[in-house]
Structure formats: C-alpha cells, structure tokens
Amino acid sequence: MVANPHLPVLLDLLGVFAAAVAGAFAGLRKGLDLVGILVIAVASSLGGGMIRDALIGATPVAAISDWRYFAVALGATAAVLSVTSRRMSDSKLKSAIEEVRGRAVRLDRIALVADALTLGLFAVSGTLKALNYHLPVFQAALLGTVTATGGGVVRDVLVNEVPMVLQRELYAVPAFVGGLLFALLERHGFVVQGYLAAAGSVVITAAIRLVAVWRDWHAPRPGAVA
Amino acid sequence: MVANPHLPVLLDLLGVFAAAVAGAFAGLRKGLDLVGILVIAVASSLGGGMIRDALIGATPVAAISDWRYFAVALGATAAVLSVTSRRMSDSKLKSAIEEVRGRAVRLDRIALVADALTLGLFAVSGTLKALNYHLPVFQAALLGTVTATGGGVVRDVLVNEVPMVLQRELYAVPAFVGGLLFALLERHGFVVQGYLAAAGSVVITAAIRLVAVWRDWHAPRPGAVA
Amino acid sequence: MVANPHLPVLLDLLGVFAAAVAGAFAGLRKGLDLVGILVIAVASSLGGGMIRDALIGATPVAAISDWRYFAVALGATAAVLSVTSRRMSDSKLKSAIEEVRGRAVRLDRIALVADALTLGLFAVSGTLKALNYHLPVFQAALLGTVTATGGGVVRDVLVNEVPMVLQRELYAVPAFVGGLLFALLERHGFVVQGYLAAAGSVVITAAIRLVAVWRDWHAPRPGAVA
C-alpha cells in the first residue's frame, strides 16, 4: 500500500522528537528536576505510539522493542535542556523575574509549535499503521487521532492538568482531518509514494492547529447553540 | 457458549450509548465547548471497551475496528446536545441563575441513571467477552468490572476529578456482582439463550448502583472498624 | 533462559503484595472508605503488570487470567486494614489529633518501604518477562522500568496527585538500574539460577530508592545547570 517501508518508522521517530521537545518544555514550566523532565518527555513522546500499538495488537510495541524510540526521546530532551540552560547563563545581568517571564513566553511558543508538529506526525503515522493493519479509511483516521492526542493526554494527566484535548482551541479535529486526508490520498493512489502525502498531511494538521491557537478558533459552547 | 452471536456487540453498543450520554453531561457540567464534550463522550464511552480488548488481546480493538462504536457515541452526544439546548431556549424568561441551578439538578439525575446503565451493560459485556475468550467465571467477572469502571475512570481523570470508583457510594461492587451473576447463569445453563441472563444482570447491576446512591449506601471507613 | 519457571510469577505475586500494601496506605491517607481502599490497592498493584503484558502482547494479561494476582492484592489490603484498625483501638486514650499525626508518620514509613520493594520486584519481573519475550537487554530494562513505575502512576493519578515518578527523589532511575543489572546478570550467565540474580537486583533497586529518599538525593533542576 505504501511504497516505502521506512515511512512509518520515520514518521514515528520525527513524532517522538517533536513530542519529547513539547514534553520537556512542559516539565521545565512545571519546575521539575532533570529526571522528572526526562520522565515526562519520554512518557509523553512514547505514550501515544504505545497506546496505538496495544490497541491494534502490534506487540511488543515499537516504542519498547525498537531502541531508537527511547534514544530519540532522550536526545530531544538533552537538546532542549542544553539550549535552555545556555540561554539562562547568557542573561545573567537581567533581573530574575523579567528573565523568567520572557523565557516563559518564548518557551510556550516553541512548545506550541512542537506540539502542533507532534499532532500532525502522529496523526499520519497512526493512520498509516492502521492502514497497514487493514483497517478501513475512517477507522484508520480514528486510530491516527488516538495516537496523536494520546501522548499529550498522558503528559497533561501526569502533571495534573485538564488535558489540552478538552480545552477550547481545536486539537482533536485537526488530527482527524489530517489522518483522514492521508488515508484518502493513500487509498486513491494520488501519490507515487507515501512521502508526499505524508508530508502534506502533517503540514496541514499542524497548520490548522496553529491557526486555531493564534486566531483563537474554537468550537462554540452549547449555551451559544440555543 | 452463548447462543446468540449478536449479544456481545448489542450489549457493547447499548453501553457505548449510555456511557456517551453520561460523558456528554459530565462535559456540559464542566462548561466544555462542543468539541471538548464530544471528546470526553467518545473517550469515556469507548475507553472501557478498549482497555478490555487490549487486556485480553482482542485486537484490533472493537471500538476502533467497528465503525458503529464511534457512530453510536457521536449520535448519543448529538442527542444530549440537542435536548439540552432546546430546553435552554424554552426557558428564556427564567433568570439565568435559577435556570442553571434547576438544569444542573435534572442533568445530574439523567447522568446518574445513564452512568448506572453503563455500569450494568459494560459489566455484562466485559464478562461475556472474557467467557468467550475462555476465562473462568471469577476472572470473567473481574474483567467485566474493569470494563464497566474503566470508561468512567478515563472520564473522571480527563476532567481532573478523583474517580467516582474511589468515592463513597458503591460503584465497583455492583459491577462485580452483576458480572459474576451473569457468568454463573451462563455457565450453569439457567437460560435458553443469553438475552434474558444479560438483561437481568444489567438491571440488577444498575439497580444496586442507583439504590446505593439514593439511599447513600457506602462502605464503612476504616476508622469506624476499630 | 531462566532456570526456574516459577520465578516470574513469584516475583509478580510478591510485587503485587508490596504494591497493594503501598496502595492501601495511600487510600487510608486519603480518607477513602473500605471499597475505595480496596479499589486503589487492586488497581495500583495489578496496573503495572497489566500495562506490561498489554505492551508485549502477553494476553490475556496475567493479572486477569491468574486468580492469584487478585487474591494476593485482596489479602494484602485486608492485612493492612486489620493491622491499622487494631492499632487504632489500642490507642483510645490519646487525643485524636496526636494519634492521627503519629500514625501518619508511621504509615508513611511503612508505605515508603512497601513502595521501594514494589519498585524492585516489578523492575525485575518486567525485565524477566521481556527477556522471555526475546527483547534485548536494554529494551528489557526499559519494560521493567515501565512495569515498576506504572502501578504507582495509576495510584497517584487515581487520587489526583502529581505522580511520584515526576517528583524530586529518584524513582525511575533505580528501577532502570535494577532492571539493567538483572538483565546483564541473566544474559552473561553469572548465576546458576535466576533466584540469586533476582533477589540481588530487587534489593539493590529498593536500597537505592530508600537511600535517595532518606538522604534526599535528587537530580538537579535545570536552573542549577547553567
């Protein structure tokens, strides 16, 4: 179905990288120590794929049986920590409070982009794996949505917050749209090989998510329906 | 073992409907928007069955591979939203605060009944699926209890509340009783076909749960034991 | 690979006992009733193994299909409740507040030791099961870490607390060290049979964890890195 056998793993590893970056920033914002940051980055970047593989019976799950998943999560966390700690020492002269405020804004912005990319990458990788397990288009997009939102739910529940997927900006919707788009492209042979369909679907998912945040798009509340 | 092959799916879909109704009300009560309400209704109505299927290895799990599960969850959510928004517009003249209070009481009552029916339906469907996977009576009732309480735990954890299963009124106990009753009826051939045993066990589970809430039954606290 | 076929189940059941003790104390501290305490003890003692078995595809998971798991969890909970309620009646003359304070300190100490033993037992049992499923050394230790920390995460999330695995004292690190040590001992044949390697790895894991708590070891915060 998909021409290139490396595509699923490539999407997964890119998704793990982006998710670990978003997870490490969540840990930094919560004031966790290095081990806590590592735990949350690993759990949230590997969690979505673990749930996906357990649900379709692709066991042992790839996030455990393939060492590159953990290595990428570790590398992404190390990258975040080295960049953020260097910045911190560059700005010794600023007052502590200002610096923390300025950093928080920048961190939130990077974390948001990383989170949107995670959403797109895992939506497509989950959809693709489901197609390879012979699920139909709609169900494949549903598994893609579970994969894409699962890791973020793990992250938010671990730090004891109401998961982003329940909050006002669109989160699950772009994942489902991206997964469905990819599944339809794959099934109808609009692409010579999977890379282009995959890249396009990832970008569209992430773009919808980011525009939803920046323009404060959200679904109406039921009160507004009446 | 069970005469009718449609029984497991029928129980599951009725359980998904009741759970999605309870989940949608939980989302309304939390003031979520339409997408948030849909996410919590879907996650809590499909979550228990997903956990069940992953634990016994019935993969790909039915809640993903069978499109009717998602469709029923979506339909139940839409039904709740259309009923609650119509009511809201009917009562335009009442003061906003009174209306919200009055609605909250009614909503809680409907959500409670839906939740009790969910408990019964999933306790029996989980027990039945476990029997079909050749688990013994006791273990089947245990899986029924996990199925019945799993979705509610997902719902409560998502909205950042201490799960109902830990709180004072009996919750896990009726599920286990109902599952065990059904497993014993099935195993000892007291019924010509599964429907009667299933319906009876569902009703008994839901009744115990509702009576426990209405009469404020609960287990003693350890302090009272000494 | 491992000489004795009883070792995995023995480690698991000892782990379930220790985890149920830790879980029951968590329930007592939260003021739950008897059913709530039982639910949290069962969920946290069986949760880690359920996650492990679902992730490697060892289904139906042992915690459901083998009745001894539930029986041990139930027995451990009953033991905790009988000991704590006897103590409570022995101390009738003390003022209520002092007694509660004194008990809380003692309970925390027992719960801490039980939790450290759980960590060691499940780290080794998870690693061993992964080795038996032909995962390599590093991946086996990773699954051991997931098994060891999974039940505690379930427990902490259920009672709505930020999981211990994210907090300052070392928690995931001893589990990984113990799992890796056991996997290396097994693979390089340093032991005639598995018992000695298992016991040593359990003790070392629990010891690192307890020393970390008692001496307040913890990873640095990122702020201290710069």
Side-chain angles (χ1 to χ4, degrees):
Chain A
M1 176 175 324
V2 171
N4 196 306
H6 299 306
L7 183 58
V9 173
L10 180 68
L11 285 168
D12 255 15
L13 293 180
L14 290 172
V16 167
F17 190 91
V21 168
F25 277 116
L28 276 170
R29 209 166 40 227
K30 282 275 161 181
L32 299 177
D33 68 12
L34 291 180
V35 169
I37 291 169
L38 180 61
V39 167
I40 201 161
V42 169
S44 61
S45 61
L46 304 188
M50 284 183 180
I51 293 171
R52 174 197 65 198
D53 290 353
L55 290 181
I56 56 172
T59 52
V61 300
I64 294 285
S65 65
D66 184 337
W67 62 271
R68 292 173 296 178
Y69 285 69
F70 184 80
V72 167
L74 193 64
T77 309
V80 168
L81 290 173
S82 72
V83 169
T84 54
S85 59
R86 193 167 347 112
R87 276 203 186 168
M88 212 175 301
S89 50
D90 286 352
S91 56
K92 271 178 198 161
L93 296 176
K94 295 186 194 170
S95 83
I97 291 168
E98 257 179 61
E99 184 211 328
V100 166
R101 278 193 196 141
R103 277 181 66 225
V105 170
R106 285 199 305 276
L107 295 187
D108 280 357
R109 207 170 296 160
I110 299 172
L112 203 64
V113 173
D115 195 61
L117 284 173
T118 305
L119 200 69
L121 287 160
F122 280 141
V124 174
S125 92
T127 302
L128 178 55
K129 196 150 190 176
L131 290 174
N132 287 344
Y133 271 71
H134 308 294
L135 289 178
V137 164
F138 177 82
Q139 286 91 311
L142 198 58
L143 190 69
T145 309
V146 171
T147 311
T149 56
V153 168
V154 168
R155 178 192 62 209
D156 295 341
V157 166
L158 280 180
V159 296
N160 216 355
E161 287 185 348
V162 173
M164 228 186 254
V165 73
L166 290 180
Q167 291 171 3
R168 288 183 76 78
E169 298 108 2
L170 296 178
Y171 197 81
V173 171
F176 186 75
V177 169
L180 197 61
L181 174 68
F182 177 73
L184 289 171
L185 288 173
E186 278 297 309
R187 277 293 153 95
H188 293 86
F190 277 117
V191 281
V192 181
Q193 49 150 296
Y195 284 112
L196 199 61
S201 304
V202 169
V203 168
I204 286 171
T205 306
I208 299 177
R209 167 67 185 152
L210 286 175
V211 172
V213 173
W214 284 334
R215 311 217 49 163
D216 198 25
W217 280 354
H218 50 73
R221 285 177 195 260
V225 171
Chain B
M1 176 177 323
V2 171
N4 195 306
H6 299 306
L7 185 56
V9 173
L10 180 68
L11 284 168
D12 255 14
L13 293 180
L14 289 172
V16 167
F17 189 91
V21 168
F25 277 116
L28 277 170
R29 209 167 38 229
K30 282 275 162 182
L32 299 177
D33 68 12
L34 292 181
V35 170
I37 290 169
L38 179 62
V39 167
I40 201 161
V42 169
S44 62
S45 62
L46 304 187
M50 283 184 181
I51 294 171
R52 174 197 65 198
D53 290 353
L55 291 181
I56 56 172
T59 52
V61 299
I64 294 285
S65 64
D66 184 337
W67 62 271
R68 292 173 296 179
Y69 284 69
F70 184 81
V72 167
L74 192 64
T77 309
V80 168
L81 291 174
S82 73
V83 168
T84 53
S85 58
R86 194 172 342 117
R87 277 204 186 168
M88 212 175 300
S89 51
D90 287 351
S91 57
K92 272 178 195 159
L93 296 177
K94 294 185 195 171
S95 84
I97 291 168
E98 257 178 61
E99 185 212 325
V100 167
R101 277 192 197 142
R103 277 181 66 225
V105 169
R106 285 199 306 277
L107 295 187
D108 280 357
R109 208 169 296 159
I110 300 172
L112 203 64
V113 173
D115 195 61
L117 284 173
T118 304
L119 200 69
L121 287 159
F122 280 141
V124 174
S125 92
T127 302
L128 178 55
K129 196 148 190 176
L131 290 173
N132 287 344
Y133 271 72
H134 308 295
L135 288 179
V137 165
F138 177 83
Q139 286 91 312
L142 199 58
L143 189 69
T145 309
V146 171
T147 311
T149 56
V153 168
V154 168
R155 180 192 60 211
D156 295 341
V157 166
L158 280 181
V159 296
N160 216 355
E161 286 184 349
V162 173
M164 227 185 254
V165 73
L166 289 180
Q167 291 171 4
R168 288 183 75 80
E169 300 108 3
L170 296 178
Y171 198 81
V173 172
F176 186 76
V177 168
L180 197 61
L181 174 68
F182 177 73
L184 289 170
L185 288 173
E186 278 297 308
R187 276 295 152 95
H188 293 86
F190 276 117
V191 280
V192 180
Q193 48 151 294
Y195 285 111
L196 200 62
S201 304
V202 169
V203 168
I204 286 172
T205 305
I208 299 177
R209 166 68 185 151
L210 286 175
V211 172
V213 173
W214 284 334
R215 310 218 50 163
D216 199 24
W217 279 355
H218 49 74
R221 283 176 196 262
V225 171
Chain C
M1 180 175 319
V2 171
N4 196 307
H6 299 306
L7 184 58
V9 173
L10 180 67
L11 284 168
D12 255 14
L13 293 180
L14 289 172
V16 167
F17 189 91
V21 168
F25 277 116
L28 276 171
R29 208 165 40 226
K30 281 274 160 181
L32 299 177
D33 67 11
L34 292 181
V35 169
I37 291 169
L38 180 61
V39 167
I40 200 161
V42 168
S44 61
S45 61
L46 305 188
M50 284 184 181
I51 294 171
R52 174 197 64 198
D53 290 353
L55 291 181
I56 56 172
T59 52
V61 299
I64 294 285
S65 65
D66 184 337
W67 62 271
R68 292 174 295 180
Y69 284 68
F70 183 81
V72 167
L74 192 65
T77 310
V80 167
L81 290 174
S82 72
V83 168
T84 53
S85 59
R86 192 166 349 110
R87 276 205 185 166
M88 211 176 301
S89 51
D90 287 351
S91 56
K92 271 177 198 161
L93 296 177
K94 295 185 193 171
S95 83
I97 291 168
E98 257 179 60
E99 185 211 327
V100 167
R101 278 193 196 140
R103 277 180 66 224
V105 170
R106 285 199 304 277
L107 295 188
D108 279 358
R109 207 170 297 160
I110 299 173
L112 203 63
V113 173
D115 195 61
L117 283 173
T118 305
L119 200 70
L121 288 159
F122 280 142
V124 174
S125 93
T127 302
L128 178 55
K129 197 149 190 175
L131 290 174
N132 288 343
Y133 271 72
H134 308 295
L135 289 179
V137 164
F138 177 83
Q139 286 91 312
L142 198 58
L143 189 69
T145 308
V146 171
T147 311
T149 56
V153 168
V154 169
R155 179 191 62 209
D156 295 341
V157 166
L158 280 180
V159 296
N160 217 355
E161 287 184 349
V162 173
M164 226 185 254
V165 73
L166 290 180
Q167 291 171 3
R168 288 183 76 78
E169 299 108 2
L170 296 179
Y171 197 80
V173 171
F176 186 75
V177 169
L180 197 61
L181 174 68
F182 177 72
L184 289 171
L185 288 173
E186 278 296 308
R187 277 293 154 95
H188 293 87
F190 277 118
V191 280
V192 181
Q193 48 150 295
Y195 284 112
L196 200 61
S201 304
V202 169
V203 168
I204 285 171
T205 306
I208 298 177
R209 166 69 185 150
L210 286 175
V211 172
V213 174
W214 284 335
R215 310 219 50 164
D216 199 25
W217 280 355
H218 49 74
R221 285 178 195 261
V225 170

